[in-house]
Amino acid sequence: MVVFGLLAFALAAPRGSPADGGPVVTPLAIVETTPVPHEGDSADDPAIWVHPTDPGKSLILGTDKQGGLISYGMDGRQVQIVSDGARPNNVDVVYDFPLGAGRADLAVAGCRDSKSLGLKVWRIDAETRRLGDVTAGGFIPVFGHSEPYGSCVYHSRKSGKFYAFVNNKNGAQEQYELTAAGDTIAGTKVRAFKLKSITEGTVCDDEAGALYVAEERVGIWRFSAEPDGGSAGKLIAKVGEHGLAADVEGLTLYCAAGGKGYLIASSQGNNTFKVYAREGDNGFVCTIDPRGGAIDDVSDTDGIAVTNRPTSTAFPKGFLIVQDGSKKGGHQNFKLYRWEDIAGDRLWIDTSEDPRRR
Ligand code: CA
Ligand code: CA
Ligand code: CA
Ligand code: CA
C-alpha cells in the first residue's frame, strides 16, 4: 500500500507544460464504484456527503439517468438505490437544512422520468446512512412541467436561504427557493433567465454568492447566485482556451479557507479536467489527466465532485470523483482520486473548510 501510494504520487507530479493545457497532473484512481445497473449512457453525476461525526461513514451519491439515485460507501460498494425509475440526472448535497424540529442533510436532483419531471429532494439520515424522499408532492415541477437537465444547490451566506438551480437543453435557467413544508420540502420559483445554447454542468459558491454554468459548446459562465442577481453573466473560461474541449460537462468547487480554492470542469472532448482559481478572475491553473493503472482510465467524462474534507483512511485529504463514460466489458461507474495526488506541491491542500459551516 505504501509503495502504491508513492507510485501514485510520482505519477501525479506535473509533467511540464503542453502548449495549450498548462501543467498536467496524472493521478491514478484509488477506488472505483460498483457499476450502475443500466447499460449504455447511464451514470451521469456524483456528489459527496460527508458524515457529521464519523468521516469513514461518508457516502458517495451517483445518478443512474436510466434508473435511480445510488449511494456508495467510501470503498465504492453500492449501499442503496432510492427512487428507482425517477431518472435523476445531476445530484448535489446541502447540509443543515431546517426541517421539522431539527436540521437535515439533503440530496437534490433534477429528474427526467415523465411522472416526475422536476426536482426531487432526499433526506440523508446520518444514523442509518439511508436516503428517503422528502419532496412535497413527490416532485417540484420545473420549466412548466418539462424536462430539466443540469441542477445544483445554493445556501446563501447573505440571507441563510436555500435554493436549487435547474437548467435545460435550451439553455434556460430557473432558481427555486427550497422551504420546509412540515416534514417535506417545497420549491418556489424566484428567478429565470436564459443562455443561448445547451447547458448542464452547474455549481454554486456559497461564500462568494456565485453560480457557475457550463454552456456545453461555449464555456463556463459566472452569475450572481442571489435571486435578484439578474441575467448578466461573465464568460470566465472559453472552449478552445487552455485545452478546454466541448462538451464542457460537470463543474465542482474545491473550497479552501479564505475564499481560496478551485473551480474544476470536466472537459469531455479530451477526457481531462480543467482547474481554475476559485477567486478573482478564475484564472487557469492546470489540467488533470488521470491515467489507467489497476483501475482503468476515464473517458467521455461527465459529472464530477470534489471534497477538501477527510473521509475514509484511503482519502485523508479529500478526493475528486468523476464519472467514467466507458468501462470495458461493463457498465459505467465512478472513479475516486486522492486530492493530494492531484495537488502535489502546486495546489492548495486545505482540509479545514467545513461545508457544514458554509
Ligand atoms: Ca451530464
Ligand atoms: Ca451534457
Ligand atoms: Ca486519461
Ligand atoms: Ca474507463
Side-chain angles (χ1 to χ4, degrees):
M1 205 56 208
V2 171
V3 172
F4 185 65
L6 287 172
L7 179 66
F9 181 80
L11 288 172
R15 292 183 303 132
S17 301
D20 59 356
V24 180
V25 293
T26 56
L28 290 168
I30 301 297
V31 166
E32 63 180 332
T33 66
T34 308
V36 297
H38 289 87
E39 286 182 357
D41 193 20
S42 297
D44 196 274
D45 185 51
I48 302 161
W49 173 73
V50 179
H51 191 282
T53 54
D54 190 346
K57 289 184 178 163
S58 298
L59 292 172
I60 297 156
L61 307 180
T63 59
D64 174 353
K65 58 192 174 192
Q66 314 297 339
L69 180 62
I70 308 173
S71 67
Y72 306 91
M74 287 306 306
D75 58 1
R77 287 197 193 142
Q78 185 179 305
V79 174
Q80 182 187 7
I81 299 181
V82 68
S83 304
D84 202 4
R87 302 184 56 214
N89 193 54
N90 283 186
V91 62
D92 204 357
V93 163
V94 67
Y95 296 94
D96 294 332
F97 185 95
L99 186 66
R103 300 242 159 196
D105 296 342
L106 306 175
V108 179
C111 297
R112 299 197 287 171
D113 177 58
S114 60
K115 292 186 290 295
S116 51
L117 281 177
L119 293 160
K120 279 177 83 68
V121 185
W122 299 267
R123 181 177 193 150
I124 308 169
D125 188 315
E127 201 70 41
T128 61
R129 294 170 82 221
R130 307 288 290 182
L131 279 73
D133 188 350
V134 290
T135 322
F139 67 102
I140 299 164
V142 298
F143 301 116
H145 288 266
S146 70
E147 197 172 275
Y149 198 35
S151 59
C152 73
V153 291
Y154 172 54
H155 184 189
S156 171
R157 281 261 179 111
K158 210 170 161 186
S159 64
K161 291 180 176 178
F162 292 81
Y163 300 94
F165 283 93
V166 62
N167 62 51
N168 73 12
K169 291 187 178 178
N170 299 322
Q173 318 287 316
E174 289 185 343
Q175 179 174 6
Y176 289 80
E177 184 180 347
L178 300 176
T179 51
D183 288 333
T184 64
I185 289 165
T188 308
K189 186 160 75 176
V190 293
R191 180 184 176 195
F193 58 102
K194 202 174 177 308
L195 297 184
K196 290 192 176 124
S197 69
I198 186 168
T199 55
E200 184 183 3
T202 182
V203 68
C204 282
D205 185 333
D206 292 353
E207 199 175 335
L211 163 73
Y212 293 96
V213 180
E215 191 174 5
E216 295 192 349
R217 294 187 290 265
V218 175
I220 305 167
W221 293 88
R222 179 181 168 128
F223 297 89
S224 164
E226 288 296 317
D228 61 359
S231 58
K234 184 182 174 198
L235 189 62
I236 60 106
K238 293 186 185 124
V239 165
E241 288 182 0
H242 306 290
L244 182 65
D247 295 350
V248 185
E249 288 286 341
L251 300 179
T252 188
L253 203 70
Y254 179 95
C255 295
K260 291 187 163 55
Y262 307 100
L263 171 69
I264 307 175
S266 178
S267 175
Q268 190 178 58
N270 53 12
N271 313 310
T272 63
F273 307 93
K274 299 293 174 181
V275 181
Y276 303 89
R278 179 186 176 199
E279 65 270 29
D281 290 330
N282 305 104
F284 177 75
V285 178
C286 67
T287 296
I288 304 167
D289 182 358
R291 293 295 137 112
I295 295 173
D296 61 297
D297 195 5
V298 291
S299 55
D300 290 327
T301 53
D302 208 326
I304 55 177
V306 70
T307 181
N308 65 316
R309 298 294 279 175
T311 52
S312 63
T313 51
F315 299 101
K317 297 183 192 303
F319 67 96
L320 173 73
I321 178 166
V322 315
Q323 183 259 17
D324 180 9
S326 167
K327 173 89 185 148
K328 226 178 188 172
H331 296 181
Q332 296 175 336
N333 71 357
F334 300 94
K335 293 178 163 72
L336 286 73
Y337 304 85
R338 289 188 182 122
W339 181 253
E340 61 269 40
D341 291 346
I342 292 166
D345 56 9
R346 178 177 302 275
L347 305 181
W348 295 100
I349 299 176
D350 182 354
T351 58
S352 69
E353 186 76 358
D354 184 349
R356 287 173 191 281
R357 288 193 223 107
R358 251 175 233 156

